[in-house]
Amino acid sequence: MRFQPNVRRIAAIHDLSGIGRTSLMAVIPILSTMGFNVCPLPTAILSNHSQYPDFSFLDLTEEMPRIIDQWEKLGVTFDAIYTGYMGSPRQIEIVCGFIERFRTADTLVVVDPVLGDNGHLYSKMTQEMVEEMRRLACRADVLTPNLTEAFALLDRPYKTDCTTEELKDLIAELSEMGPDTVIITGVPVPGQSGLTSVIARSKSDLRTWKVTCPYLPAHYPGTGDSFTSVITGSLLQGDSLPIALDRAAQFILQGIRSTFGYRMDNRDGILLERVLPNLNTPIQSATYELV
Ligand code: PXL
């Protein structure tokens, strides 16, 4: 009898930022803790993420095709391809090509269209990047924009006071672009400044799910990366969409709660190291609702 390791492999296409717990520095620990073999295809190396006023930036666009060719030679296969922050428009074309080459009928393709937050694009993001990101979004099985990114992808003005019907329409328009499942994060709850929500739907199901959780008045970079990492791991572990939403929302809330009590620089992100073990404890209670 031969024993085979049952460790599944995820290609993680994000930047590596040394300071601030974003991108690969959230993706790798979270998905490793959840039992996956994370294979990084880095898009850029930064001294620190781009929400600090200054940062160094090494664009890896030229290196990416070399890494991809080598992976192809090695004959590696991936159970999931998970993309986030892109360093240049040309890179997005390379990543689209990577998906064409490595996707099989069983591959889960998760696209986090990292472009901006709170109604603004991040400092390196241009209109051309938004347009290219639309091409990548079309190829996703699961698309996870925040509200800013959802409006940017649809070329509509940002607003925060959306009704549930408006959010459902946003999801429908985004899924018409291609993705089976669309999850919109960071959705304010009208009239309740102490709450925030995520809302999601799959074309293959058509029920719309919402998870609401307490909102603490602080912005921590990287929480979107951590959220989508937990979603990716949870779906690969076989959880339903609403359970994946609950696990991800609870993990982020635990991370924020573990950080908020300190007088820290918020740009350092959440204290991920403190909450990683929670990813392997059974979910205690689910709070999802149908809307
Ligand atoms: O968290 C998203 C993200 C990823 N990568 C870089 C960023 C940000 C957000 O600021 O700057 C480099």
Side-chain angles (χ1 to χ4, degrees):
M1 184 172 171
R2 282 179 60 202
F3 292 96
Q4 291 290 332
N6 185 20
V7 177
R8 283 176 296 165
R9 205 180 278 128
I10 302 174
I13 314 179
H14 304 252
D15 70 282
L16 180 68
S17 285
I19 305 289
R21 299 185 180 88
T22 61
S23 33
L24 283 176
M25 290 317 296
V27 175
I28 297 172
I30 289 173
L31 285 165
S32 299
T33 303
M34 293 178 88
F36 298 96
N37 172 209
V38 184
C39 305
L41 175 51
T43 58
I45 299 178
L46 288 80
S47 52
N48 46 270
H49 63 65
S50 71
Q51 293 184 52
Y52 288 90
D54 305 305
F55 49 89
S56 68
F57 188 99
L58 175 65
D59 181 343
L60 293 176
T61 305
E62 299 301 315
E63 189 62 20
M64 289 173 72
R66 290 195 270 270
I67 297 175
I68 295 168
D69 288 347
Q70 186 59 31
W71 283 1
E72 200 160 38
K73 262 199 240 158
L74 288 174
V76 285
T77 56
F78 298 102
D79 298 284
I81 299 170
Y82 166 25
T83 77
Y85 184 97
M86 297 291 141
S88 72
R90 157 96 183 105
Q91 237 172 54
I92 300 184
E93 204 182 316
I94 294 171
V95 173
C96 290
F98 175 81
I99 294 172
E100 300 305 314
R101 274 157 82 175
F102 282 83
R103 177 180 231 162
T104 69
D106 299 323
T107 317
L108 181 72
V109 177
V110 179
V111 173
D112 187 3
V114 176
L115 292 167
D117 205 359
N118 293 313
H120 301 284
L121 296 184
Y122 295 130
S123 61
K124 299 271 295 175
M125 294 298 158
T126 57
Q127 200 48 40
E128 194 187 356
M129 287 295 281
V130 176
E131 280 152 28
E132 285 299 301
M133 198 59 98
R134 280 187 200 122
R135 289 163 25 98
L136 189 53
C138 298
R139 290 166 165 82
D141 295 311
V142 180
L143 183 71
T144 62
N146 59 32
L147 203 52
T148 304
E149 293 155 347
F151 280 119
L153 287 173
L154 294 171
D155 201 16
R156 298 239 293 266
Y158 174 70
K159 60 181 239 174
T160 50
D161 53 342
C162 303
T163 62
T164 300
E165 283 319 304
E166 285 174 315
L167 291 164
K168 284 186 179 178
D169 287 346
L170 276 183
I171 291 181
E173 282 183 57
L174 289 167
S175 26
E176 268 167 31
M177 292 166 65
D180 173 68
T181 300
V182 174
I183 303 173
I184 303 184
T185 62
V187 179
V189 178
Q192 307 229 24
S193 60
L195 295 176
T196 181
S197 63
V198 297
I199 183 159
R201 191 177 64 186
S202 296
K203 270 191 231 167
S204 46
D205 175 332
L206 290 184
R207 286 176 292 179
T208 305
W209 308 99
K210 185 175 180 183
V211 170
T212 305
C213 58
Y215 176 75
L216 301 183
H219 169 75
Y220 295 99
T223 48
D225 303 323
S226 294
F227 181 90
T228 303
S229 300
V230 181
I231 291 283
T232 302
S234 178
L235 292 176
L236 283 176
Q237 286 176 353
D239 288 329
S240 66
L241 177 59
I243 289 293
L245 296 176
D246 248 308
R247 284 182 74 185
Q250 286 181 24
F251 180 75
I252 300 306
L253 180 60
Q254 289 159 356
I256 293 176
R257 283 228 164 104
S258 73
T259 317
F260 190 71
Y262 295 105
R263 290 229 159 265
M264 273 177 47
D265 184 344
N266 287 1
R267 296 176 301 187
D268 262 0
I270 55 173
L271 294 171
L272 264 184
E273 306 74 18
R274 294 276 169 90
V275 286
L276 284 173
N278 300 357
L279 290 168
N280 286 324
T281 57
I283 188 160
Q284 299 297 320
S285 65
T287 60
Y288 66 76
E289 46 182 335
L290 270 174
V291 290

